[in-house]
Amino acid sequence: MKAFLLSIFVLFSLHVYAQSRVSSPKSKAELNRRYFGMHFDFHAVAGDSLIGKNLSERGLDSLLTAIKPDFIQVDCKGHPGVSSYPSKVVTATVAPHIVNDPLAFYRAVTRKHGVDLYLHYSGVYDDAVLVKHPNWAVRKADGSINKSKTSVHGPYADSLLIPQLNELADYGADGVWVDGECWATVLDYSPQALANFRVSTGIQTVPRLETDAGYSLFKDFARRSFVNYIGHYVDAVHRHRPTFRIASNWAYSSMMPEPVMTNVDFLSGDLTPSNSVNSAALEGRIMAAQGQLYRKPWDLMSWSFWYEFNPVPRQGDQKTAIHLLQEAAEIIALGGGFQAYYQQSRDASIPRRELPVMVELSRFVRARQLFCEGSVPVPQIAVLYANSTVKAFNQPLFGNGQTQRISGVLTALLDAQLPVEVLSEYHLKGRLNQYPVIVVSQQDSLDPAFRRDLLDYARQGGHLVIIGAETTRSFADFLGVTPIDQQTNSPQLVVYNGASVLLTGPFQSVRITNAATKSIGQLRQSEAGDPKPGIIATETLFGRGKLTAVYADLSRDYQKHQSAKLRNFIASMVRPLLLEPIVDVSGSHLVHVVLNRQHNRLTVNLINTGGRHADPQVFTYDEVPPLTNLTVRIRTNKKPKRIVQQPENSVLPVRYTDGIATVIVPKLTLHSILVVE
């Protein structure tokens, strides 16, 4: 698969092309329209017989008055492909028993309240249309029909998708959240797809197995075809109604970390329903980078209930307010918008049983909007999430399986109170030297030109931290080591700074061959045993900078166990390289720190991440103890006029010495922002 990796030249060209295509930036007032909202859907099926019967204007009035959202999203066509409104599009499959038109109802009431209306619409994933038109389906390698996934090369977009989106715009809806898109897109062996592939590549023998020549090119063609499909329907609908706002769920996210090449109006995705505090921290950073580079507003959606997809689907309890507030905090601290997903009733009405939780969410997000919206990160530490690695190792065309290469390391750094961004190669291109530290964790397929850029960054004074058995092996010549033996998955006991930590691997044995390289840490036979030969980590002077290497995969270990000792070990590889940190927080390891600049002022977000949100055996929890007496040190050119803890509006006493302003935060309940004035 490495044969098809994009060169840096191509990445840069894509970036320039994308900048020429993206829509002009929206006004601040328009950006605000998707800062806080609620999502409701029920994926209508043909057997739903009461759609629209129990719609209550009084009930919806009370909900909108209580939560005061910028927008709500409601169902119009889910994955079964059944429209839950009386569509007039001839190719649509409409629920046969619609009592009253839900879309007309929701539009009338939301308009009265000044609330935008967005619609949940399933795109590529459509069961019903393929019953009527099986020739619109994706074909598998064996020639059989995929009964759920439409072909992006077929008539579906022009014959159903675009006509229905135009119809939704004519209802007066403000936009659409198109679900079942990148993550539902699969390799397509339909006649039209194969004909297009042959024309596009000149390859006549179509690869059908991973071992076949050109298989990676076929996957790359399929990815490009999906991007073209998005661009086609977005532009077509914009021609019909330029103000209609469109997002393709999870496009340009961790599942598809590519340059934004289409005129989507905003970026959005729904978080994994379990362990969502940590996934919000990861996905939010990827979305924030895309939004900043391509000037796109973005938001993330929390599921209001616990759910697990694998190994078998199972649903847990509705999440408590405090659980959802933590997820919201991770998102809004990064400058993004927030929405929560509650299930819509099968009659298309919205239950109000969870209204008290929705109200708490609204109050929490609104209280912080003034201090979070429009924030951009201050460069400190970058964790690389390379599109080249994602493409090389993802089995599906699009998916977030490769986040496991960085997610544990990211969480460990955040749990060590370090301010971290997650950036791809094209986010870093031309601005590597803005970051004092760049972490490359298990990025095992880097473009050669970008790899050279990383090394040049270190030569010029940057600090590169390289983690992972295979990744360090690929940098061995520059690390001053020679790999010996094959990688092993045998657990390794490491002693560093007087503490022991067990690493489960993979692990790469090396021998130091350069006088400029020194070993870090020590391997031991057992906790009570003697030291044993071997090297776990090294530090190498490299030009004016430094290369730090850990010869083991660390991410999954921390993701699984979240050991305090492993957290400290990972942080010890990074923290000393941040020679003049702009912010330093001490007093608890339960704090996540987000360092931003907002409207020409420095802000420090502090998020209390206590609670068992990462425990797969815990559906939800209702208590997160507050943290007290946190010490925050902020490096500034001059003494701040004041530092205010918001939204508490508490002015904190400042001690200023040698360019460092120090404050004590007496109490952190869930999320506070220190505004430096």
Side-chain angles (χ1 to χ4, degrees):
M1 289 188 178
K2 295 182 180 179
F4 84 107
L5 297 178
L6 295 174
S7 68
I8 284 297
F9 173 76
V10 172
L11 284 169
F12 182 70
S13 299
L14 288 174
H15 167 65
V16 172
Y17 176 65
Q19 293 286 41
S20 71
R21 285 207 59 186
V22 293
S23 303
S24 59
K26 304 289 188 289
S27 68
K28 187 175 187 296
E30 195 171 3
L31 289 179
N32 288 349
R33 299 304 300 172
R34 279 196 64 91
Y35 190 74
F36 173 70
M38 291 289 167
H39 174 100
F40 308 96
D41 70 50
F42 65 101
H43 294 263
V45 297
D48 288 324
S49 60
L50 300 175
I51 292 176
K53 181 177 181 179
N54 297 311
L55 298 174
S56 163
E57 183 172 350
R58 182 178 179 182
L60 185 56
D61 279 339
S62 67
L63 183 142
L64 296 177
T65 300
I67 64 176
K68 298 177 176 62
D70 294 317
F71 68 95
I72 63 170
Q73 289 173 183
V74 298
D75 188 89
C76 74
K77 178 171 83 78
H79 302 330
V82 176
S83 298
S84 56
Y85 71 101
S87 176
K88 300 298 190 294
V89 176
V90 295
T91 52
T93 300
V94 180
H97 305 291
I98 296 179
V99 180
N100 291 302
D101 184 349
L103 265 55
F105 166 78
Y106 282 111
R107 177 65 288 184
V109 180
T110 53
R111 182 179 283 124
K112 181 176 69 173
H113 285 264
V115 172
D116 283 356
L117 178 65
Y118 285 76
L119 301 169
H120 170 262
Y121 184 100
S122 186
V124 166
Y125 195 148
D126 188 316
D127 294 335
V129 77
L130 298 181
V131 173
K132 290 182 175 180
H133 303 282
N135 58 316
W136 293 8
V138 161
R139 286 191 179 269
K140 303 175 186 178
D142 63 5
S144 61
I145 287 175
N146 186 314
K147 296 182 179 180
S148 296
K149 311 300 169 53
T150 61
S151 171
V152 299
H153 299 275
Y156 170 74
D158 288 322
S159 300
L160 179 60
L161 174 64
I162 292 170
Q164 280 204 303
L165 296 189
N166 288 343
E167 183 178 57
L168 300 177
D170 291 342
Y171 261 88
D174 295 282
V176 65
W177 195 83
V178 186
D179 197 4
E181 287 270 271
C182 68
W183 58 264
T185 302
V186 296
L187 286 175
D188 184 6
Y189 291 86
S190 65
Q192 189 60 57
L194 298 188
N196 291 346
F197 173 69
R198 292 183 176 109
V199 170
S200 174
T201 64
I203 297 173
Q204 299 304 306
T205 302
V206 177
R208 296 177 184 272
L209 301 173
E210 283 195 57
T211 53
D212 290 347
Y215 188 78
S216 63
L217 294 175
F218 188 53
K219 289 185 74 173
D220 199 34
F221 163 78
R223 293 185 180 105
R224 290 197 310 273
S225 299
F226 174 72
V227 172
N228 291 339
Y229 151 86
I230 295 179
H232 173 62
Y233 79 71
V234 167
D235 289 348
V237 176
H238 281 160
R239 284 191 295 271
H240 177 77
R241 187 64 57 86
T243 57
F244 192 71
R245 283 163 274 178
I246 304 171
S248 174
N249 182 24
W250 283 125
Y252 309 111
S253 67
S254 67
M255 296 189 184
M256 181 181 158
E258 302 183 0
V260 179
M261 297 287 291
T262 61
N263 287 314
V264 292
D265 296 283
F266 61 100
L267 309 178
S268 188
D270 53 326
L271 295 171
T272 304
S274 58
N275 194 16
S276 297
V277 174
N278 289 331
S279 65
L282 169 65
E283 302 291 355
R285 281 166 171 78
I286 295 171
M287 285 286 203
Q290 293 283 59
Q292 184 181 357
L293 181 59
Y294 295 104
R295 298 180 296 181
K296 299 286 184 183
W298 64 275
D299 62 70
L300 284 172
M301 177 199 300
S302 287
W303 286 34
S304 68
F305 52 95
W306 191 97
Y307 193 90
E308 186 175 66
F309 292 97
N310 295 309
V312 293
R314 62 182 181 127
Q315 182 171 336
D317 297 336
Q318 287 288 137
K319 295 176 182 176
T320 62
I322 202 166
H323 190 165
L324 288 167
L325 295 182
Q326 284 183 303
E327 297 176 17
E330 292 283 357
I331 295 163
I332 63 175
L334 297 164
F338 174 78
Q339 57 175 312
Y341 162 39
Y342 287 86
Q343 291 171 302
Q344 201 170 349
S345 297
R346 308 247 31 113
D347 61 8
S349 65
I350 296 174
R352 299 194 301 280
R353 186 177 60 255
E354 293 293 315
L355 184 57
V357 176
M358 297 181 197
V359 170
E360 276 201 66
L361 275 172
S362 175
R363 290 173 179 165
F364 182 88
V365 172
R366 292 302 193 198
R368 289 154 179 79
Q369 183 173 0
L370 184 63
F371 313 106
C372 294
E373 188 178 24
S375 296
V376 295
V378 176
Q380 290 285 272
I381 299 166
V383 171
L384 176 65
Y385 183 61
N387 190 30
S388 58
T389 293
V390 173
K391 284 187 172 183
F393 293 99
N394 251 5
Q395 289 302 309
L397 293 176
F398 303 104
N400 60 6
Q402 301 313 310
T403 58
Q404 55 87 18
R405 297 171 176 271
I406 65 166
S407 56
V409 168
L410 171 66
T411 303
L413 295 174
L414 295 177
D415 289 351
Q417 293 65 66
L418 290 167
V420 186
E421 294 174 62
V422 177
L423 303 174
S424 71
E425 53 270 64
Y426 55 92
H427 296 128
L428 285 166
K429 180 67 176 175
R431 55 192 294 261
L432 289 155
N433 60 4
Q434 294 181 19
Y435 292 86
V437 184
I438 296 176
V439 179
V440 181
S441 172
Q442 297 171 231
Q443 299 302 293
D444 294 339
S445 186
L446 293 176
D447 177 88
F450 182 69
R451 189 167 170 273
R452 289 194 295 271
D453 287 347
L454 288 172
L455 292 167
D456 286 343
Y457 153 83
R459 286 190 186 95
Q460 294 165 16
H463 299 98
L464 200 59
V465 180
I466 305 167
I467 298 172
E470 183 60 34
T471 308
T472 51
R473 188 182 184 96
S474 70
F475 280 89
D477 291 345
F478 305 97
L479 297 173
V481 300
T482 298
I484 53 177
D485 303 325
Q486 296 297 312
Q487 295 172 19
T488 176
N489 287 316
S490 301
Q492 303 291 327
L493 186 67
V494 178
V495 176
Y496 181 65
N497 283 345
S500 61
V501 58
L502 187 69
L503 307 180
T504 63
F507 173 78
Q508 175 63 60
S509 297
V510 298
R511 180 177 64 252
I512 292 177
T513 57
N514 189 326
T517 299
K518 68 175 184 178
S519 178
I520 301 173
Q522 186 182 67
L523 297 176
R524 299 189 75 88
Q525 301 284 356
S526 64
E527 189 64 49
D530 295 329
K532 71 175 185 178
I535 294 168
I536 184 59
T538 60
E539 185 178 88
T540 305
L541 298 177
F542 194 73
R544 299 198 305 272
K546 189 178 292 184
L547 304 178
T548 302
V550 182
Y551 300 93
D553 292 4
L554 303 180
S555 186
R556 184 157 299 205
D557 272 354
Y558 194 78
Q559 189 175 18
K560 185 175 182 180
H561 302 296
Q562 297 198 354
S563 158
K565 291 185 174 182
L566 181 54
R567 175 200 66 212
N568 293 342
F569 177 73
I570 293 172
S572 72
M573 299 293 116
V574 176
R575 191 188 304 278
L577 303 176
L578 198 59
L579 302 178
E580 294 187 339
I582 295 176
V583 64
D584 177 76
V585 178
S586 59
S588 173
H589 283 299
L590 296 177
V591 187
H592 283 185
V593 178
V594 181
L595 179 64
N596 289 333
R597 190 160 293 282
Q598 190 220 29
H599 310 317
N600 297 317
R601 63 187 183 184
L602 196 68
T603 62
V604 179
N605 287 258
L606 305 173
I607 303 168
N608 180 352
T609 65
R612 298 175 66 185
H613 50 83
D615 189 336
Q617 302 306 314
V618 175
F619 290 153
T620 192
Y621 46 90
D622 61 1
E623 185 176 0
V624 174
L627 305 176
T628 58
N629 296 324
L630 302 174
T631 301
V632 181
R633 300 174 182 87
I634 304 171
R635 189 177 302 274
T636 61
N637 293 327
K638 59 182 180 179
K639 183 177 180 179
K641 293 179 181 178
R642 62 179 192 163
I643 297 177
V644 187
Q645 182 180 357
Q646 298 288 9
E648 295 85 352
N649 197 30
S650 173
V651 178
L652 303 177
V654 179
R655 186 176 73 254
Y656 190 76
T657 306
D658 298 328
I660 305 294
T662 302
V663 297
I664 304 297
V665 177
K667 182 179 180 181
L668 175 64
T669 304
L670 276 184
H671 176 207
S672 289
I673 305 98
L674 304 188
V675 179
V676 182
E677 299 178 353

